[in-house]
């Protein structure tokens, strides 16, 4: 994927760009993805890497939102405010917080959302500042407290822009093929010591990396 300027698309606004990209994408959904999402209990967590946020937008808006009531956490930064302004009108409940600022309060609010309202949380476990493709413990801790399974997803596109951000965010070209794959839900026991929690965090890392490669392979297939 090449690094290019996004200036020609800027005039559309962020929400307009996402809707345009979503409408023009050709989605390749791996077998079992929709069934995996539909089998999740009401209180569940969907996790994927931060750099796949834009690639995931079409699938999340057009496929997942009609199926589930979603909530997510975004940072107090300017980028976080931008994400919140885009997501709220789409029906996604946004909780403000991050690992570096307001994280405990945000996690508590997400916990309440899971346990009281049964919402499905979308979490980007290596955000908001990285390290890239290394999950933080927050997603495992929240899953443990709420006894909610974590469904790992991965998204990739055949052709797109690669931004010069910390996560090397990918923005798919209009009309390109976008692939979606899912793994097995990660069940987190209620009783965990520190080493067991770290082992589950590392396991989530491994699953997301493996799925990301599968998604890229699927997106790169040259079948019609």
């Amino acid at each position: 994927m090449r690094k290019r300027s996004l200036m020609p698309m800027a005039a559309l606004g962020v929400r307009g760009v996402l809707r345009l990209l979503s409408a023009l994408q050709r989605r390749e959904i791996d077998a079992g993805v929709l069934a995996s999402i539909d089998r999740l209990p009401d209180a569940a967590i969907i996790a994927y890497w931060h750099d796949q946020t834009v690639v995931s937008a079409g699938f999340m808006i057009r496929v997942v939102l009609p199926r589930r009531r979603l909530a997510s956490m975004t940072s107090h930064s300017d980028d976080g405010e931008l994400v919140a302004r885009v997501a709220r009108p789409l029906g996604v409940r946004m909780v403000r917080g991050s690992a570096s600022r307001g994280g405990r309060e945000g996690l508590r609010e997400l916990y309440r959302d899971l346990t009281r309202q049964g919402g499905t949380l979308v979490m980007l476990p290596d955000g908001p500042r990285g390290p890239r493709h290394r999950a933080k413990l927050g997603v495992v801790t929240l899953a443990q407290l709420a006894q909610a399974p974590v469904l790992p997803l991965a998204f990739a596109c055949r052709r797109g822009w690669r931004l010069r951000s910390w996560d090397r965010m990918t923005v798919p070209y209009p009309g390109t093929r976008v692939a979606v794959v899912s793994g097995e839900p990660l069940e987190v026991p209620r009783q965990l010591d520190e080493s067991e929690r770290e082992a589950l965090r590392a396991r989530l890392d491994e699953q997301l990396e493996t799925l990301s490669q599968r998604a890229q392979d699927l997106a790169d297939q040259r079948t019609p």
Side-chain angles (χ1 to χ4, degrees), residues 32-74:
V33 172
L34 298 183
S36 295
I37 292 171
D38 289 340
R39 281 197 299 265
L40 288 174
D42 288 340
I45 298 171
I46 292 174
Y48 50 92
W49 291 136
H50 196 279
D51 64 320
Q52 298 169 10
T53 303
V54 180
V55 185
S56 74
F59 179 80
M60 298 302 291
I61 292 169
R62 293 178 176 270
V63 179
V64 180
L65 262 176
R67 285 174 155 81
R68 310 190 72 86
R69 187 174 58 83
L70 299 181
S72 188
M73 182 166 71
T74 189

Side-chain angles (χ1 to χ4, degrees), residues 53-153:
T53 303
V54 180
V55 185
S56 74
F59 179 80
M60 298 302 291
I61 292 169
R62 293 178 176 270
V63 179
V64 180
L65 262 176
R67 285 174 155 81
R68 310 190 72 86
R69 187 174 58 83
L70 299 181
S72 188
M73 182 166 71
T74 189
S75 70
H76 291 281
S77 66
D78 291 342
D79 287 345
E81 178 60 27
L82 180 62
V83 171
R85 289 183 180 182
V86 172
R88 284 194 193 106
L90 297 173
V92 180
R93 178 173 175 267
M94 301 303 299
V95 178
R96 304 307 293 272
S98 73
S100 57
R101 180 182 173 196
R104 289 180 181 273
E105 292 78 7
L107 283 177
R108 279 198 290 266
E109 195 163 343
L110 288 173
Y111 171 75
R112 286 193 292 269
D113 195 279
L114 271 173
T115 56
R116 296 178 184 176
Q117 302 181 44
T120 298
L121 303 182
V122 178
M123 299 192 73
L124 310 174
D126 58 338
R129 297 181 182 177
R132 181 178 185 268
H133 288 195
R134 179 176 172 84
K136 295 180 174 66
L137 280 171
V139 63
V140 175
T141 301
L142 185 60
Q144 176 190 6
L145 292 173
Q147 285 298 280
V150 181
L151 178 67
L153 295 183

Side-chain angles (χ1 to χ4, degrees), residues 1-4 6 18 48-57 79 83 124 126-128 132-133 157 160-172:
M1 288 175 286
R2 292 177 291 174
K3 295 178 180 178
R4 293 184 58 181
L6 297 179
L18 290 178
Y48 50 92
W49 291 136
H50 196 279
D51 64 320
Q52 298 169 10
T53 303
V54 180
V55 185
S56 74
D79 287 345
V83 171
L124 310 174
D126 58 338
R132 181 178 185 268
H133 288 195
C157 61
W161 293 275
R162 181 76 76 177
L163 305 187
R164 292 190 177 98
S165 53
W166 67 265
D167 61 349
R168 294 160 56 197
M169 178 79 72
T170 300
V171 179

